[in-house]
Amino acid sequence: DQQVKQNSPSLSVQEGRISILNCDYTNSMFDYFLWYKKYPAEGPTFLISISSIKDKNEDGRFTVFLNKSAKHLSLHIVPSQPGDSAVYFCAARRIQGGSEKLVFGKGTKLTVNP
Amino acid sequence: NAGVMQNPRHLVRRRGQEARLRCSPMKGHSHVYWYRQLPEEGLKFMVYLQKENIIDESGMPKERFSAEFPKEGPSILRIQQVVRGDSAAYFCASSPPGGRGNQPQHFGDGTRLSIL
């Protein structure tokens, strides 16, 4: 039962264009959503986040949009750069009974071609 | 300004041996989380600890797996009598104390466990 889904295993874009990575979730109890970037043989690196009470958060080239009614969020990277090539994980935070945990999607591998 | 430190980076064990994975959180962080990643999968939550306390171990198998975060020293994830299915990347994350603010969890580079 996957509560966070990233339906595109891979995405390829040209340098300078926009990259859009998508994520869907099923649990309305998630209160906070995060995007992590991961290079091979390294740990996930925090990129950007959004609270469930917001619909947009922007940080430089990265913008995250949240559509609560559709239980959908997306990460926009513009302009895309070759160094952005990595696996991007969507994660959702669940707080319950004094505990906190992140639920991750399976990731989308982004390739930015020069 | 060290981040989350995990060691060893790679660990090879034979079936039936014990594996010990260590995690030192970022400076000032007192919350530690362990996640496991199988190939082509996302990270799966295993356990959440604070100093000397296990807060949530709902993602950890009931047998052979244990975790601790002592008052002094790193957090340890211990796997006894390892089996081939334990082969995975194990990631540790930490976050600061202070309630449920929007502080992201920061991850270490993981330990790749291989079972022969």
Side-chain angles (χ1 to χ4, degrees):
Chain A
D1 175 28
Q2 204 167 352
Q3 298 183 59
V4 177
K5 293 183 183 178
Q6 294 177 257
N7 290 319
S8 297
S10 62
L11 174 67
S12 184
V13 299
Q14 284 299 119
E15 181 178 4
R17 299 286 184 100
I18 185 171
S19 296
I20 301 177
L21 296 98
N22 293 301
C23 178
D24 296 293
Y25 62 96
T26 56
N27 193 332
S28 55
M29 299 300 291
F30 294 137
D31 75 324
Y32 187 50
F33 301 89
L34 308 91
W35 285 93
Y36 286 85
K37 175 180 177 180
K38 187 179 180 303
Y39 294 116
E42 294 185 10
T45 302
F46 170 71
L47 199 56
I48 192 170
S49 62
I50 188 167
S51 167
S52 60
I53 61 173
K54 303 276 179 123
D55 55 19
K56 178 182 175 181
N57 186 27
E58 191 172 351
D59 183 2
R61 296 186 297 114
F62 303 92
T63 303
V64 56
F65 294 92
L66 175 62
N67 182 334
K68 278 190 72 174
S69 61
K71 293 192 174 69
H72 177 83
L73 64 155
S74 61
L75 173 67
H76 293 211
I77 307 173
V78 56
S80 302
Q81 300 173 353
D84 295 329
S85 298
V87 177
Y88 288 78
F89 288 99
C90 170
R93 186 176 77 177
R94 175 87 189 268
I95 293 176
Q96 184 180 27
S99 176
E100 170 186 337
K101 64 182 75 167
L102 295 181
V103 180
F104 282 83
K106 291 189 177 184
T108 297
K109 183 177 181 180
L110 174 65
T111 303
V112 180
N113 301 303
Chain B
N1 64 344
V4 179
M5 303 300 290
Q6 289 189 248
N7 69 82
R9 292 294 310 275
H10 301 275
L11 182 61
V12 180
R13 285 287 178 264
R14 296 189 181 280
R15 281 179 293 170
Q17 291 184 320
E18 178 180 289
R20 281 187 182 233
L21 289 64
R22 294 174 187 76
C23 170
S24 296
M26 284 180 72
K27 188 176 181 180
H29 287 192
S30 58
H31 297 197
V32 165
Y33 315 79
W34 286 92
Y35 293 82
R36 176 165 65 175
Q37 185 186 25
L38 296 171
E40 310 301 323
E41 296 285 323
L43 283 71
K44 295 277 197 299
F45 169 82
M46 298 182 74
V47 61
Y48 164 34
L49 310 104
Q50 296 176 16
K51 282 284 186 182
E52 299 185 277
N53 283 308
I54 296 175
I55 306 301
D56 182 354
E57 56 184 348
S58 60
M60 202 155 65
K62 296 285 186 286
E63 297 179 356
R64 302 187 299 108
F65 285 72
S66 62
E68 62 176 6
F69 188 18
K71 187 176 180 181
E72 301 292 336
S75 175
I76 307 284
L77 179 67
R78 183 182 177 208
I79 311 172
Q80 295 178 288
Q81 300 173 333
V82 295
V83 300
R84 287 236 170 94
D86 297 332
S87 295
Y90 292 81
F91 291 97
C92 171
S94 72
S95 66
R100 296 288 179 255
N102 290 340
Q103 294 283 348
Q105 295 178 19
H106 292 274
F107 286 80
D109 283 338
T111 294
R112 271 90 186 152
L113 176 64
S114 299
I115 309 302
L116 301 179

